[in-house]
Amino acid sequence: MKTSRRTNWPVLILVALGTIFILFPLYMTVTIALKSPEQMAHSAFAFPTELHWENFSRAVEMTHFFSAFRNSVMVTTSTVVLTLLTNSMVAYAIARNMQRRFFKGLYFYFVSAMFIPFPIIMLPIVKLASGLHMTNLVGLIVLHTVYGLAFNVFVYVGYIRSIPVALEEAATVDGATTWGTFWRIIFPLMAPISATVGILTCLSTYNDFLLPLIIISDAEQYTLPLVQYVFQGQFNTDFNLAFASYLMALLPMIIVYLIAQKWIINGVTQGSVK
């Protein structure tokens, strides 16, 4: 006996509207990047009748794109590696000692830090980084790693507490140290949530504008979000070249997310099921 499937039109309409809201800005970015100023003045929404690929080469030249891209990749890669290594250890120490008052207070201290807006601590960070001579890419990497600590500890602790303590007790009986137990047993088991943390850290670090703006003073160390300022003049903005540069800067992260989105979903679902 065949059962008829009824279409849930409200949900379908909401999904269609959401798809449009997501794809329309991307469509506008592509079309504006391929237009000339004359075509832009004629119609901002229509697809270009003639493709101006030279916008991309001019944008690369004006922004020193590959130099900025190299800086962004270095900062992002280093931040992801440091975040996974350090934040996971901090979370492990807290999760396995939650019964102690110090570690419990430390956990809630990190959780409370999630609710502090960045502009409030922006000026103290600038003064501290300047005093420590860290107004460079190394300082930017350290600050990105530290600033993401609160959220990452919150995520890691919830996942680690779902891992049976019996595994660590068995390793201790076999003669493993706490250090060896973490790296040989616990850290591999955290692979799904580590993938989630790593990918989210990668996206946020690569796209961050405000922290590099207040920290980096040397133009040769600018990251990709900072070099986009070159298209904004005092009285006008070259939208065609700007959007061509935006598209080139956006493309690597789109590829990363499309490839890695299954690990984000997998990490979240496994963390909730355990």
Side-chain angles (χ1 to χ4, degrees), residues 36-218:
S36 65
E38 293 75 16
Q39 290 176 328
M40 182 78 176
H42 182 265
S43 176
F45 299 99
F47 196 81
T49 55
E50 181 181 355
L51 303 181
H52 291 266
W53 298 103
E54 69 275 8
N55 290 343
F56 293 92
S57 59
R58 291 176 59 193
V60 168
E61 182 180 355
M62 291 182 65
T63 60
H64 303 286
F65 180 85
F66 294 108
S67 176
F69 179 72
R70 183 179 64 251
N71 293 336
S72 290
V73 170
M74 185 185 72
V75 170
T76 302
T77 304
S78 302
T79 300
V80 170
V81 173
L82 278 177
T83 296
L84 295 181
L85 295 179
T86 60
N87 294 10
S88 60
M89 289 191 289
V90 174
Y92 176 69
I94 293 175
R96 288 300 185 247
N97 296 278
M98 192 65 78
Q99 70 279 4
R100 301 182 181 180
R101 182 176 299 178
F102 172 76
F103 287 95
K104 191 171 185 179
L106 188 62
Y107 173 72
F108 286 110
Y109 171 77
F110 281 126
V111 172
S112 64
M114 295 170 55
F115 300 96
I116 300 177
F118 179 75
I120 293 179
I121 61 174
M122 185 167 61
L123 291 180
I125 284 178
V126 173
K127 186 174 181 179
L128 178 62
S130 178
L132 296 175
H133 304 287
M134 296 179 64
T135 55
N136 48 39
L137 295 180
V138 175
L140 185 61
I141 293 169
V142 172
L143 289 173
H144 272 301
T145 303
V146 173
Y147 190 70
L149 185 63
F151 174 76
N152 295 334
V153 164
F154 174 73
V155 173
Y156 267 127
V157 167
Y159 191 88
I160 293 172
R161 296 186 71 181
S162 68
I163 299 176
V165 183
L167 296 175
E168 299 161 61
E169 294 174 347
T172 303
V173 171
D174 291 337
T177 62
T178 303
W179 183 263
T181 299
F182 174 76
W183 289 114
R184 295 180 182 179
I185 298 176
I186 302 301
F187 191 74
L189 290 176
M190 292 194 300
I193 199 65
S194 292
T196 302
V197 170
I199 294 164
L200 294 178
T201 302
C202 177
L203 294 173
S204 62
T205 303
Y206 183 87
N207 294 320
D208 187 38
F209 172 78
L210 192 55
L211 188 58
L213 177 65
I214 64 174
I215 294 297
I216 302 299
S217 55
D218 186 0

